[in-house]
Amino acid sequence: MNPDSRTGQDSSLADIMEAGSRDFRRQSIEQGSDLSLWTKLYVANQTMLSALQQRRMSEALVEICSNLLGCEELAIIEINRETGKVQFVTVEGLQKEKTDFVASNGRQVEGRISPGNPYVCADPESTIESELVDSGISAIVPLWVDVRSSGALILFQLLPQRSGFDAEDREVLNLLSIFAGPCLRSQRRD
Amino acid sequence: MSAKVLLVDDSSTALLMGETLFKEHTSYEVVTARDGEEGVRTAVAEKPDLILLDVVMPKMDGFTACKEMRKQECLKSVPIVMVTSRGEPRNVEEGYRSGCNAYLTKPINANELLEVVHMFIPLRSKRAAAAVKDGNCK
């Protein structure tokens, strides 16, 4: 997409994300001790920014989750706030029983993300006990909440070499909770 | 002349991670390829000092690409590091059988990746760089 053809909303979102990318990149150069964190944040932000411009946000989120978080089982959903009905925007690597679980638990998912922060279950020291954890969910990232619907990115099983999300992962999840939703909404408006 | 690293991955995110790390934190030149076939062609043409190779890719997977690279005289001694989400023991074994020198699993840790690359590139420069630059590639 030519930047000049962006709508006003797209343009301001892209401007904010571009500033974020510049900052993450600068930090990744200056902050030797946190090189991995800042590089991941830069790459995640830049991947979303490119996807916003190319209208391929869902693919970008799948790539970020796979390459930066080690999760290849995920779903992006929209929950109708009035009925609790779940609509799948993207499903990647999930077996039917997991999509069925999500489809019938929209309210539970919505409840976990209503504070606006990622809900992380995959923590080796976590003592959370719930149906969501038992179903294999690792994290739920809020994407948007408005009058009509809520959006969420649900991450299931992590790759075998991962035992849970660490501090770096949580920062990436936080970044996704800030920008992924607006990027998806922007894409779906077109 | 700076060392050259070839990144072979079908994921834009993985390529961006590698390019960012090497361009910002090393003096290495970076070239990229998006699938196994292109990876072999690029390796032959560019004669890199190190190859980072994904496993699950279109057209030709990383194991096959690694074997194809090892058939080329000019790539026989080039360090190949598999960087993949497939961390199960049987995949690691298959990676080494196909001829790779090291095996890293995703998600990529920047420090770990740089350590491995720094470990191989000086070794190679001492051993074979000059010879391989003039080697025979089909």
Side-chain angles (χ1 to χ4, degrees), chain A residues 25 28-29 32 35-36 39-40 42-43 46-47 56 63-64 66-70 72 159-162 168, chain B residues 9-14 16-17 20-21 23-25 84-88 105-111 114:
Chain A
R25 188 163 194 158
S28 82
I29 296 167
L35 166 69
S36 191
T39 307
K40 275 187 182 175
Y42 168 72
V43 170
Q46 195 61 26
T47 299
R56 47 176 291 276
E63 284 220 353
I64 290 168
S66 169
N67 287 285
L68 302 183
L69 296 170
E72 297 184 337
L159 292 169
Q161 59 267 28
R162 302 230 63 197
E168 269 183 25
Chain B
D9 204 309
D10 60 325
S11 159
S12 305
T13 306
L16 178 61
M17 182 87 177
T20 304
L21 277 176
K23 285 180 180 170
E24 300 292 359
H25 299 282
T84 175
S85 57
R86 302 283 168 256
E88 299 88 343
T105 53
K106 292 180 182 177
I108 302 158
N109 177 290
N111 296 311
L114 286 177

Side-chain angles (χ1 to χ4, degrees), chain B residues 54-112:
Chain B
D54 185 23
V55 169
V56 182
M57 290 184 290
K59 294 186 184 174
M60 182 189 287
D61 67 46
F63 298 137
T64 310
C66 190
K67 286 177 193 162
E68 290 298 315
M69 288 171 183
R70 289 303 188 215
K71 288 178 188 169
Q72 300 290 333
E73 195 57 40
C74 66
L75 300 176
K76 277 195 190 314
S77 67
V78 175
I80 298 178
V81 180
M82 295 263 183
V83 184
T84 175
S85 57
R86 302 283 168 256
E88 299 88 343
R90 63 187 166 84
N91 286 315
V92 179
E93 284 168 23
E94 188 166 356
Y96 283 110
R97 272 203 306 272
S98 70
C100 80
N101 301 79
Y103 199 101
L104 295 178
T105 53
K106 292 180 182 177
I108 302 158
N109 177 290
N111 296 311
E112 187 184 17

Side-chain angles (χ1 to χ4, degrees), chain A residues 138-155:
Chain A
S138 301
I140 305 173
V141 179
L143 297 177
W144 70 80
V145 179
D146 63 23
V147 178
R148 200 174 58 82
S149 67
S150 303
L153 165 65
I154 305 178
L155 305 177

Side-chain angles (χ1 to χ4, degrees), chain B residues 21-74:
Chain B
L21 277 176
F22 296 126
K23 285 180 180 170
E24 300 292 359
H25 299 282
T26 73
S27 58
Y28 306 152
E29 183 186 344
V30 178
V31 286
T32 61
R34 304 295 300 246
D35 61 60
E37 278 182 11
E38 188 188 347
V40 175
R41 280 199 310 273
T42 309
V44 168
E46 296 283 344
K47 301 180 181 64
D49 298 279
L50 179 106
I51 299 167
L52 296 175
L53 189 59
D54 185 23
V55 169
V56 182
M57 290 184 290
K59 294 186 184 174
M60 182 189 287
D61 67 46
F63 298 137
T64 310
C66 190
K67 286 177 193 162
E68 290 298 315
M69 288 171 183
R70 289 303 188 215
K71 288 178 188 169
Q72 300 290 333
E73 195 57 40
C74 66

Side-chain angles (χ1 to χ4, degrees), chain A residues 6-149:
Chain A
R6 293 172 187 159
T7 64
Q9 270 181 307
D10 275 359
S11 178
S12 53
L13 176 59
D15 289 345
I16 293 168
M17 293 178 75
E18 276 166 12
S21 279
R22 281 195 298 274
D23 188 46
F24 293 142
R25 188 163 194 158
R26 183 180 55 78
Q27 296 275 15
S28 82
I29 296 167
E30 292 174 1
Q31 304 290 328
S33 59
D34 290 325
L35 166 69
S36 191
L37 168 65
W38 292 112
T39 307
K40 275 187 182 175
L41 290 176
Y42 168 72
V43 170
N45 196 65
Q46 195 61 26
T47 299
M48 286 192 285
L49 178 58
S50 300
L52 174 69
Q53 293 164 343
Q54 295 165 12
R55 298 291 184 259
R56 47 176 291 276
M57 194 60 205
S58 298
E59 291 166 49
L61 290 178
V62 171
E63 284 220 353
I64 290 168
C65 292
S66 169
N67 287 285
L68 302 183
L69 296 170
C71 179
E72 297 184 337
E73 291 185 3
L74 60 97
I76 299 169
I77 62 168
E78 180 167 2
I79 308 158
N80 184 308
R81 300 200 75 194
E82 195 176 317
T83 64
K85 191 177 173 198
V86 172
Q87 183 187 340
F88 287 90
V89 178
T90 296
V91 174
E92 179 74 21
L94 285 187
Q95 292 180 334
K96 186 176 179 301
E97 65 198 50
K98 290 181 177 172
T99 54
D100 287 348
F101 178 85
V102 173
S104 55
N105 285 278
R107 289 284 187 221
Q108 269 212 67
V109 170
E110 193 182 17
R112 297 296 180 180
I113 58 172
S114 57
N117 300 317
Y119 174 77
V120 178
C121 320
D123 178 341
E125 293 172 14
S126 172
T127 54
I128 297 172
E129 289 179 16
S130 79
E131 210 179 342
L132 294 178
V133 179
D134 294 342
S135 73
I137 290 177
S138 301
I140 305 173
V141 179
L143 297 177
W144 70 80
V145 179
D146 63 23
V147 178
R148 200 174 58 82
S149 67

